[in-house]
Amino acid sequence: MNMKDFIKDLDFSRKSSTVVFLIAILVLIGAFIWWLNIPFIEDIFTNGTIMLIMVLGFQLFMGNSGILNWSYVGYVGIGAFASAIFSMTPALKALQIPTMYPFLISLHLPFPLALIAGALVAMIVAALVAWPLMRLSDSVGAITQFALLIVINVLLSQWSQVTNGPRTFTLGGTRLTSFWLVLGVAVLVIILVYCYKESSLGLKLRATRDDRYAARSSGINFVAVRYVAYVASAGIGGLAGGLYSHYILSITAASFYLNELFLLLSMLVIGGSMSVSGAFFGTLLVTLLRQGLRQVELFLYKTGFEASGSAEIVVAIILIAFLIWRPNGITGGRELTWQSIKRMLPIASEKKDPISNNLKKEEKA
Amino acid sequence: MKSKSTFTVKALCKSFSGLKAVDDVSLRLETGEILGLIGPNGSGKTTLINIMTGMLPKDSGQVTIDEHDISEMPAYKVPSYGLVRTYQTIRLFKNLSCLENAVIGAIGVGIKRREATRLAAELLEELGLGYKMDLPAQGLTFRDQRLLEIARALAAKPKFLLLDEPAAGLNEEETDELLALLKPMPENKNVGIIIVDHDMRLIMSLCNRLHVLNYGKTIAEGLPEDVRKNPEVVKAYLGSAAS
C-alpha cells in the first residue's frame, strides 16, 4: 500500500481531532515545563515521555490484538542495548566492556542512526521469532509471550560479550537523549500508532481481537495481520529503549523485565488498552500518581517511617480496581475526539444520547 | 448482463472418529437462487457449512465456485472467491462500530478502504441501520445484530451467501422482516443464497429448492412442495409441522 492511499484511507475529517488533541496536550505540558526550567521536573517529564513512547508501542500490538504481550519489554531492552552498542565509540566500548566481541566494538554510528539501528535490531529479532507465535491466542498466546520474555531476559543478562552480562552496562560520555528529541519522537509515534490503528491493517487486527473466527470468515489472515503489528510494536519498543539507555546512561537486563513490564501494563490498562488516547492518559495519570506517591514516601522516610515500595502497591491496587470496575480503562477504550468532548460538556445543546443525535443528523440530511 | 456463477459440492465426506458427519453430499446452486438446507439437529448441516467455508478440513470430495476448488484453501481466502457466511451464534466485532463491522467485510476481500466505507454505509442504510453507524456493535438489539452480520457479509460482494439459522432468536414479526429482506436479495444483489433454518414457514416461503440431510446423508432434494410430501422427509424431520 502506498502512502497516499494510506492517508486517504483515514477518515480525517472526523477522526484526526484525536491526534491533534493528544499532541497539543503533550506539547503544551512540555513547553510549560521547559519554561519553568526546573531540572527535577524536566527529568520527570523526559522520563515520562520515554515511558509514553513505550506504552504507545505496547498499545500498537496488545491493544489492537488483545494478546497480552509480555515479550514487549524484552524488545525495549534489545533496542536499549543495541543502540548503545552502535552509538558508543570503539575506544569507549573497549574500556567499558572489555569482554565484548571485537566486531561489535568496531561498530560505530552517529547517535540518531544508532537509535534507528537499535529499533531495527529489535524488529529483526521480532520478525525472526514471531511467525509461529502469532497463531496462538488467549492464555496460550500470553504464556508463550511470557516464555519468550524469559528467553530474551536470560540472553540480555548472561551474554557477556554483548551486554556485559549481569554487570551494569555503562554508556559513558554525555547524555545524548534530550528533552526535545524525546518530545519530537513521542509526537511522531502518536501519529504513527494512531494512523496504524485507523488504517485498514489496524482495523483488521482489531477485528481479530473481537472475534477471530468471524475475522477469518471475513477474509482476514489473522496470523499475518498480527505479525505485522507485532514487529512494528517491537520497533517502537526498541526505539524507546534506545532513548532510555541514552538518557539513563547505565542499564542492566533487569531494567527491562517484570517491574518495567508491570508499569507499562498498568499504564496501558488504567488508561484503556483499546485506544491511543488510553495509552496517553494512562501514562500521564500513572506517572503523576507515582511521582506524587514518591514524594509521600520521601516525606514518611524523613519522619522515620519506612514506606519504600508503597507506590508500586498503590498502582497495583488501582490496576486491580480498574480491571474489576472499569476494564476498558478511563477512556473506556474510546478515543478522545472533538465529538466526545462536546458530549461531555454540560452546556452542549445536543442530547447526550448518540442515537438521537444521529437521528437528528439524518433529519437534517 | 448479470454474470452467472455456479457453486457445487461434489461427494463431500467428513468423519469424526469414525462417525460420518457428512456422507457423500452433493449439491449445486446458481447465483439468483435460494437453496434451503434443512435436517433435524445433528444431521450434519453445520459441519457441511464449516467444510464449505474452509473452517474444517474435508476428508474427500470437492467444493467449487465456478472452476475454483475452495475446499483446499485456508478459510480466510474463501470470501475472495465469492462465498461468505454468517453464524448461528452471531459473531460481530463488538468493540467496533457498526460501520467498521461492515467495512471489514469489504476490506477483507481486498476492496479499497474508501470504496469499502461507501459500500458499507450504503448497505447499512439499506438495512435500516444507517442511524446506528457510529455505535459499537455490542449495544445493538438482537435483531440489529443479525442485520449487521448480514450487512457485513454483503459488503464482501459475495456471489454466494451462506446463512446459518438467520431466524434463530427472532420473533415472528422480525422473521417476517427478514423474509422480506432476503426474498428479493438474489435478484438485487446477484447472489445465490444457502439458508439453514428450523423455521419451516421461512424456509417454505423463501426457498426455490430444498436439500434435506439426515445422519449426514442427503435424503431428499427438489422443490419445496415435493420435498414436504416426501415420506422419508416427513418421517425424519418435518413430522407434524408439515401437516
Side-chain angles (χ1 to χ4, degrees), chain A residues 9 14 198 200 210-211 217, chain B residues 76 87 91 95 108 113 134:
Chain A
D9 279 347
R14 253 189 2 191
E198 293 298 329
S200 291
D210 284 1
D211 192 320
S217 53
Chain B
Y76 68 85
Y87 288 87
R91 287 183 176 276
N95 292 304
R113 184 67 176 272
D134 284 335

Side-chain angles (χ1 to χ4, degrees), chain A residues 17-336:
Chain A
S17 57
T18 303
V19 175
V20 175
F21 281 130
L22 298 185
I23 292 174
I25 294 169
L26 183 67
V27 171
L28 282 176
I29 297 174
F32 178 68
I33 286 170
W34 186 256
W35 175 77
L36 281 180
N37 198 17
I38 302 167
F40 168 69
I41 295 182
E42 275 172 26
D43 179 56
I44 291 173
F45 178 80
T46 311
N47 261 317
T49 310
I50 293 172
M51 286 302 286
L52 173 65
I53 299 168
M54 288 182 199
V55 177
L56 287 167
F58 198 31
Q59 195 275 338
L60 178 86
F61 180 72
M62 191 180 132
N64 295 316
S65 73
I67 297 170
L68 179 47
N69 182 12
W70 293 85
S71 64
Y72 178 73
V73 75
Y75 296 109
V76 176
I78 291 172
F81 281 103
S83 64
I85 292 168
F86 281 117
S87 77
M88 287 164 74
T89 59
L92 194 56
K93 273 182 276 192
L95 182 74
Q96 301 280 15
I97 304 124
T99 53
M100 189 180 273
Y101 292 126
F103 78 95
L104 287 180
I105 290 187
S106 64
L107 287 176
H108 185 225
L109 288 174
F111 171 60
L113 288 182
L115 270 185
I116 294 167
L120 283 176
V121 171
M123 285 173 86
I124 291 166
V125 174
L128 290 176
V129 300
W131 190 262
L133 306 181
M134 291 298 106
R135 59 186 68 248
L136 308 173
S137 310
D138 308 324
S139 53
V140 181
I143 293 165
T144 48
Q145 292 297 338
F146 181 65
L148 183 58
L149 172 63
I150 305 279
V151 173
I152 295 175
N153 182 261
V154 170
L155 285 175
L156 291 181
S157 64
Q158 303 301 324
W159 202 350
S160 303
Q161 295 87 343
V162 178
T163 66
N164 207 21
R167 292 171 298 274
T168 303
F169 184 112
T170 308
L171 279 77
T174 52
R175 184 179 263 190
L176 292 166
T177 299
S178 71
F179 183 92
W180 293 107
L181 174 69
V182 171
L183 188 59
V185 172
V187 167
L188 287 179
V189 171
I190 288 173
I191 295 172
L192 185 76
V193 172
Y194 188 80
C195 286
Y196 167 77
K197 183 189 160 224
E198 293 298 329
S199 73
S200 291
L201 211 53
L203 184 58
K204 285 180 183 175
L205 184 60
R206 287 185 284 146
T208 69
R209 172 194 66 200
D210 284 1
D211 192 320
R212 64 180 180 282
Y213 295 101
R216 206 152 57 125
S217 53
S218 300
I220 296 170
N221 179 357
F222 72 87
V223 178
V225 172
R226 281 176 182 173
Y227 183 74
V228 173
Y230 185 83
V231 174
S233 168
I236 296 174
L239 183 67
L243 291 168
Y244 178 82
S245 60
H246 290 85
Y247 187 74
I248 301 293
L249 297 179
S250 70
I251 51 176
T252 64
S255 323
F256 310 101
Y257 205 38
L258 296 176
N259 280 337
E260 189 77 1
L261 183 79
F262 174 73
L263 194 55
L264 294 176
L265 193 64
S266 56
M267 287 173 169
L268 186 57
V269 171
I270 289 173
S273 67
M274 285 194 296
S275 70
V276 179
S277 310
F280 185 90
F281 290 110
T283 310
L284 188 67
L285 189 78
V286 174
T287 304
L288 289 175
L289 187 73
R290 288 180 78 230
Q291 293 306 329
L293 288 167
R294 191 154 296 162
Q295 297 311 311
V296 174
E297 273 176 26
L298 276 174
F299 174 77
L300 287 175
Y301 183 73
K302 277 176 196 155
T303 58
F305 188 76
E306 179 65 58
S308 63
S310 62
E312 267 61 39
I313 293 178
V314 173
V315 172
I317 290 171
I318 291 176
L319 178 64
I320 292 169
F322 262 92
L323 285 173
I324 294 171
W325 285 295
R326 205 172 158 82
N328 288 329
I330 44 178
T331 58
R334 277 189 283 278
E335 298 292 356
L336 176 75

